[in-house]
Amino acid sequence: MPQKRPLGGIKTHGEWLLAGKQLAKPDEYTVFEPQYVFLPMLQHIGAPCEPIVEVGQSVKLGQPVGDTEEKVAAPVHASVSGTVKSVEEWPRVGGGKAITVMIQNDHRYSVWEEQGHGELPSASVKDRLAAIRKAGIVGMGGATFPTALKLDRGEKEIEVCILNGAECEPGLSADNALMIQQTQKIVRGLRYIMEICSAARGLIGIEEDKPRAIEKMRRACEDEAGIEVETLPSIYPQGGEKQLIYALTGREVPTNGGLPADVGVVVANVGTAFSVAGALAHGSALVNRVCTVSGDVLHPQNLQFPIGTLVGDLIEHCGGFKGAPSKVIVGGPMMGRTIDSLQVPMEKGANGILVYAQEHDHLYAESPCIRCNRCLEACPMRLEPWAIDRAYRKQKWATCRWLQAESCINCGCCTYVCPATRRLAEKIVEAKNELARQRKEAE
Amino acid sequence: MAEFRMDKNESAEVFEKNKESRFPALQASPHLRRGSGTRAIMGNVLLALLPATLGSVWFFGPAVLPYYLVAVFFALAADALAQFLRKRRVDTFDLSPVVTGVLLAMSMPLGTPLWFAALGPALGILVAKELFGGIGYNFLNPALLGRAVLRLAFPQQMSMNPAPSPPFGLGQSVDAVASATPLITLKEGGTLSAADLLDSFLGMAAGKIGETSALLLLLGAVWLLAKGIIRLRIPLAFLAGIALMAFVFGGNEGLFGAGWQTVLGHLLGGATMLGAFFMVTDYGSSPSAPLAQILFGALCGVVTMLFRLYSPFPEGFTFAVLIVNFSVPLLNRVIRPRVLGEKNRSLLS
Ligand code: SF4
Ligand code: SF4
């Protein structure tokens, strides 16, 4: 049982929240093979990579196509084998553009020779971290922070490594499917992560609405010393890093830029652990991931796809739109980003596609805050969203700072519950960015 | 809507077209709302007031109805006037003026001139609410302000307490002269019998139109709690403040001399129940951090008792809460919840 009841948040079952958005087969995923992949040189938090292939060159699966010397970065690999058709600026999810390598798939999936070096059984921590970096692994829950850096504990003691098996957002089931289909590899990935951090304990936190995943994981962990599977209540945002740590260990990651490592914890998404297992056991690079395509498409399902597949291709594969589409989101309903073109690629951190048809999409007008306190009760960080919103709109930065606006994790719970349908999360994120900017300026 | 499958180009085209027409800009997350509006909340408050409202017709007869109608009408008119003056659109009608109107009608004694019922809500809404920037920005409770103004301007009429005469006012004739409410009895050094207390609980004691029946008000409170519209924190702190003060200072023979009848009399009498669940819980005029809410509730209770025990107003709830209301902006400024991961919270900004 978890140690602490989660603070705030929204119960995900029983809520009308996801009515009709559940998949028919949330425990499975199928494989999709696109004609083209578009690989942005920036799919992680940090510095962009430089393309290291040329137009017309043929590339193998797993061959690096972009890399950099910068510390905070992760290389990008060809996710199919084929021919490089172009290297040019291309739109990304969330607006903005990045240099993107476009590869035409030859459907042979011939693997890059230099890749498979087999297992690294006795490798040192340093070698393993290097292998993880070389494989281009980033946080696959959506945070996309380079995993090699995250696992590099430096001087800090890590006691617990936590695997995040609480789906990042309501309505997604990609992690669930991965846990059921790739149980062994995920546990192995966790073992590697524990070894790298020299942590004695491993915890896998899974929400209670995924009984099959819990059962399979439990069975796989029976003979694993030090690894336990914990059932978590189905409350969004249970998959938030700070929320997960609090629920499982009762520890609180310090505010003002504290890291999980400060309280002796490292958290990784199950997808990340899966990729780590692939990288360290087989030397394979991060080229595929699983996502949930749901909402108003004809056949909602979980799909494994080569990274860089276009959103439009995945929707097309799911039978196309059902009803006239009005909004397409990459990610989930609470934190996902709308896109204004179907020709944007799915990156390493893209865990879902959600389509709203016109009849399911509403525009919400803001009305005055009535100080009902619902936002405060829903906030998993225990902030006072209404007060930050008010202070931000009056540009009272000192008040925003006192109210800890910078601790907001942008989960969207406050906006979701507000009866006045105020765009709280949006404003608080703006306040947060402004405060961060001011802090940088002052330094 | 029929399901249809489009080929890739076609679906992309529809998407592009739609984007142009409805969503030219990228939207911020989240993309879902629970969608219960302000109006639904206020509607539920009205529903919760319904038992006591209907009860007042039973106790005092149809003569109370004009008070409700006039109060609600003028509350709405004042709200519309304010919206008009601020050039806001009136179509965001949220039922909150109706709540103010009903609460004010409930706190008038039967037999006062009807125009009191017009003046109270109008003043409450214009002064307490709109002058400070409208709903959510008011730190004074509009219903209480209207009530306080009436009390100060017309002390004689407003402190009448007719005795109920059920059914429908046809029982004993309504005695328009001030009869002894439980609180007045206590004030004059009397004691309450168990029968008096039962009267208070059921609503048979003398008092204002909608305040007499603790039972019916509690029914409404249960509804509000079940719907998650109010939390127990403020009412409990308030009632605890009242009970404690009544116990310590309420007795006739020095400190800690109060009997349980006195304590219960204070809890059931006057505006205590209406106040606990419908007035001190008012969103705008109460603070938001849990600790601040407890402080606020307790303070309301304590100051109410100070008025009851040591001032010439045995029903000093109105003034007490208005005074404590002034501390709300301060409480909100200095107390906030401890953020997850925060070590020592700085109390003062
Ligand atoms: S939920 Fe909305 S209306 Fe309620 S306090 Fe928060 S911002 Fe105000
Ligand atoms: S978006 Fe920020 S302020 Fe709103 S509930 Fe989430 S953490 Fe709290």
Side-chain angles (χ1 to χ4, degrees):
Chain A
M1 266 288 111
Q3 298 241 338
K4 295 269 186 181
R5 268 177 44 83
L7 305 167
I10 295 160
K11 284 197 189 70
T12 48
H13 53 210
E15 284 268 342
W16 58 272
L17 177 73
L18 298 166
K21 300 255 184 294
Q22 231 67 286
L23 302 190
K25 293 179 182 164
D27 296 348
E28 293 168 20
Y29 62 81
T30 50
V31 176
F32 174 65
E33 302 180 10
Q35 299 291 340
Y36 297 93
V37 291
F38 292 70
L39 299 162
M41 290 296 104
L42 183 60
Q43 303 188 28
H44 46 262
I45 292 179
C49 296
E50 299 290 333
I52 50 174
V53 287
E54 275 157 26
V55 178
Q57 185 181 339
S58 74
V59 289
K60 299 272 177 69
L61 176 66
Q63 180 176 346
V65 297
D67 206 345
T68 171
E69 295 288 301
E70 294 285 335
K71 191 160 178 276
V72 187
V76 178
H77 302 79
S79 54
V80 295
S81 60
T83 320
V84 176
K85 284 287 170 185
S86 76
V87 178
E88 60 184 16
E89 288 221 309
W90 194 264
R92 289 181 67 201
V93 171
K97 290 186 171 181
I99 302 285
T100 298
V101 174
M102 195 250 260
I103 301 169
Q104 184 172 23
N105 191 356
D106 63 9
H107 291 281
R108 279 200 285 266
Y109 297 95
S110 36
V111 178
W112 193 43
E113 304 77 23
E114 289 175 44
Q115 182 188 311
H117 50 59
E119 198 176 352
L120 282 169
S122 56
S124 67
V125 167
K126 220 172 128 230
D127 289 346
R128 283 183 164 176
L129 287 174
I132 290 174
R133 156 126 193 180
K134 210 175 123 221
I137 299 173
V138 300
M140 292 179 70
T144 67
F145 187 74
T147 303
L149 290 172
K150 189 168 184 172
L151 298 184
D152 191 356
R153 69 193 171 93
E155 300 292 297
K156 288 169 185 153
E157 287 284 325
I158 305 292
E159 293 159 49
V160 196
C161 291
I162 294 178
L163 272 202
N164 186 354
E167 212 71 53
C168 309
E169 292 215 36
L172 301 184
S173 51
D175 287 348
N176 175 54
L178 196 69
M179 283 189 284
I180 289 167
Q181 306 298 333
Q182 303 288 352
T183 321
Q184 296 297 341
K185 269 199 156 180
I186 290 172
V187 175
R188 187 157 182 192
L190 173 59
R191 180 61 75 192
Y192 283 130
I193 291 173
M194 286 164 65
E195 283 169 15
I196 291 171
C197 300
S198 40
R201 274 180 78 203
L203 288 173
I204 306 175
I206 307 176
E207 286 168 306
E208 65 197 354
D209 59 355
K210 305 176 181 59
R212 267 198 75 196
I214 294 173
E215 195 207 311
K216 281 206 83 172
M217 277 291 176
R218 282 239 160 92
R219 221 173 309 132
C221 294
E222 262 166 13
D223 305 323
E224 296 283 343
I227 300 185
E228 278 156 62
V229 178
E230 298 275 11
T231 311
L232 297 166
S234 307
I235 288 178
Y236 171 79
Q238 190 65 86
E241 194 170 66
K242 291 173 175 159
Q243 281 62 39
L244 191 68
I245 295 172
Y246 182 69
L248 288 174
T249 67
R251 299 178 194 185
E252 299 183 17
V253 179
T255 48
N256 299 322
L259 294 173
D262 296 336
V263 290
V265 181
V266 154
V267 181
N269 178 270
V270 287
T272 314
F274 176 65
S275 308
V276 166
L280 296 186
H282 313 293
S284 35
L286 172 55
V287 289
N288 293 323
R289 72 155 295 141
V290 183
C291 83
T292 303
V293 185
S294 65
D296 296 311
V297 293
L298 215 46
H299 307 297
Q301 58 190 294
N302 290 323
L303 285 171
Q304 190 197 61
F305 61 92
I307 284 160
T309 303
L310 294 182
V311 171
D313 287 346
L314 287 171
I315 293 178
E316 165 70 11
H317 179 73
C318 292
F321 295 115
K322 182 172 142 190
S326 106
K327 181 150 79 176
V328 176
I329 297 159
V330 171
M334 298 301 280
M335 293 179 77
R337 297 166 146 195
T338 52
I339 52 175
D340 58 359
S341 155
L342 291 174
Q343 313 297 318
V344 292
M346 294 286 281
E347 302 178 3
K348 291 173 180 175
N351 46 16
I353 297 175
L354 177 59
V355 177
Y356 281 87
Q358 259 165 25
E359 73 257 37
H360 293 144
D361 194 19
H362 306 283
L363 286 173
Y364 297 94
E366 289 189 309
S367 60
C369 163
I370 55 169
R371 299 269 326 281
C372 69
N373 246 10
R374 281 170 178 67
C375 51
L376 179 149
E377 285 173 12
C379 178
M381 293 303 294
R382 267 208 227 102
L383 301 174
E384 286 184 294
W386 69 269
I388 303 176
D389 175 54
R390 188 172 286 184
Y392 169 72
R393 290 183 206 228
K394 289 192 197 153
Q395 314 248 309
K396 291 189 174 166
W397 305 121
T399 314
C400 284
R401 207 167 298 124
W402 179 69
L403 291 165
Q404 291 278 327
E406 285 193 77
S407 294
C408 171
I409 58 168
N410 192 21
C411 66
C413 290
C414 47
T415 308
Y416 175 73
V417 297
C418 178
T421 53
R422 295 184 73 72
R423 295 197 288 273
L424 299 165
E426 182 182 341
K427 297 296 171 209
I428 294 165
V429 168
E430 285 171 22
K432 181 177 162 172
N433 294 340
E434 172 63 22
L435 290 183
R437 197 188 60 73
Q438 290 180 4
R439 202 156 34 83
K440 281 225 181 74
E441 226 164 60
E443 269 164 19
Chain B
M1 179 133 198
E3 293 185 356
F4 60 92
R5 194 196 145 113
M6 294 177 279
D7 78 18
K8 186 171 164 191
N9 290 332
E10 201 184 327
S11 63
E13 219 170 83
V14 172
F15 179 74
E16 298 297 326
K17 214 169 71 214
N18 250 290
K19 196 187 79 192
E20 291 297 307
S21 57
R22 277 196 73 187
F23 293 107
L26 298 171
Q27 284 178 314
S29 59
H31 309 286
L32 274 177
R33 303 286 198 279
R34 185 177 271 160
S36 91
T38 302
R39 199 180 310 169
I41 294 179
M42 297 302 164
N44 269 307
V45 175
L46 287 175
L47 219 53
L49 284 169
L50 201 61
T53 310
L54 294 180
S56 68
V57 181
W58 169 262
F59 293 125
F60 293 102
V64 299
L65 290 175
Y67 289 85
Y68 288 113
L69 293 179
V70 169
V72 168
F73 178 81
F74 277 86
L76 286 171
D79 192 67
L81 176 69
Q83 306 287 350
F84 174 74
L85 290 179
R86 299 146 137 278
K87 302 201 172 53
R88 282 231 193 100
R89 296 183 319 177
V90 192
D91 62 354
T92 54
F93 172 64
D94 61 15
L95 281 179
S96 69
V98 181
V99 173
T100 307
V102 171
L103 282 176
L104 259 159
M106 293 179 100
S107 51
M108 314 214 139
L110 187 60
T112 44
L114 259 186
W115 59 269
F116 282 17
L119 186 66
L123 273 178
I125 285 182
L126 289 178
V127 177
K129 192 157 116 189
E130 298 301 338
L131 214 57
F132 291 97
I135 191 165
Y137 285 90
N138 56 304
F139 60 85
L140 294 176
N141 184 327
L144 283 177
L145 185 96
R147 188 167 145 148
V149 172
L150 290 177
R151 261 314 274 282
L152 289 175
F154 314 103
Q156 193 81 55
Q157 288 105 316
M158 283 301 286
S159 52
M160 288 190 303
N161 287 297
S165 46
F168 303 112
L170 300 173
Q172 317 152 283
S173 63
V174 171
D175 182 7
V177 200
S179 17
T181 68
L183 290 185
I184 293 175
T185 311
L186 288 172
K187 179 89 187 163
E188 287 165 353
T191 47
L192 296 169
S193 67
D196 291 338
L197 290 173
L198 189 66
D199 275 354
S200 249
F201 180 70
L202 294 177
M204 304 296 287
K208 312 285 189 282
I209 289 179
E211 285 178 356
T212 58
S213 173
L215 173 67
L216 296 177
L217 290 167
L218 279 172
L219 263 180
V222 170
W223 178 260
L224 289 183
L225 289 166
K227 283 275 163 186
I229 289 169
I230 60 170
R231 300 273 176 236
L232 266 178
R233 237 175 260 129
I234 300 179
L236 279 190
F238 172 71
L239 294 176
I242 291 208
L244 194 74
M245 287 291 285
F247 175 62
V248 178
F249 301 107
N252 296 328
E253 292 102 39
L255 293 185
F256 299 99
W260 61 272
Q261 295 94 333
T262 306
V263 175
L264 260 186
H266 278 292
L267 285 179
L268 295 174
T272 313
M273 283 298 156
L274 184 68
F277 295 100
F278 295 92
M279 289 185 167
V280 287
T281 50
D282 175 55
Y283 288 153
S285 53
S286 60
S288 73
L291 176 66
Q293 291 191 328
I294 292 172
L295 275 177
F296 169 80
L299 210 57
C300 285
V302 168
V303 178
T304 300
M305 284 307 290
L306 290 180
F307 268 97
R308 282 187 186 171
L309 296 173
Y310 305 112
S311 82
F313 309 99
E315 321 235 341
F317 167 81
T318 313
F319 301 119
V321 175
L322 275 178
I323 290 169
V324 182
N325 275 167
F326 277 94
S327 71
V328 169
L330 182 73
L331 284 172
N332 276 336
R333 265 313 255 135
V334 299
I335 301 180
R336 62 166 170 79
R338 190 182 63 86
V339 173
L340 183 69
E342 199 176 13
K343 286 259 157 51
N344 31 21
R345 120 185 84 187
S346 50
L347 265 182
L348 291 159
S349 65

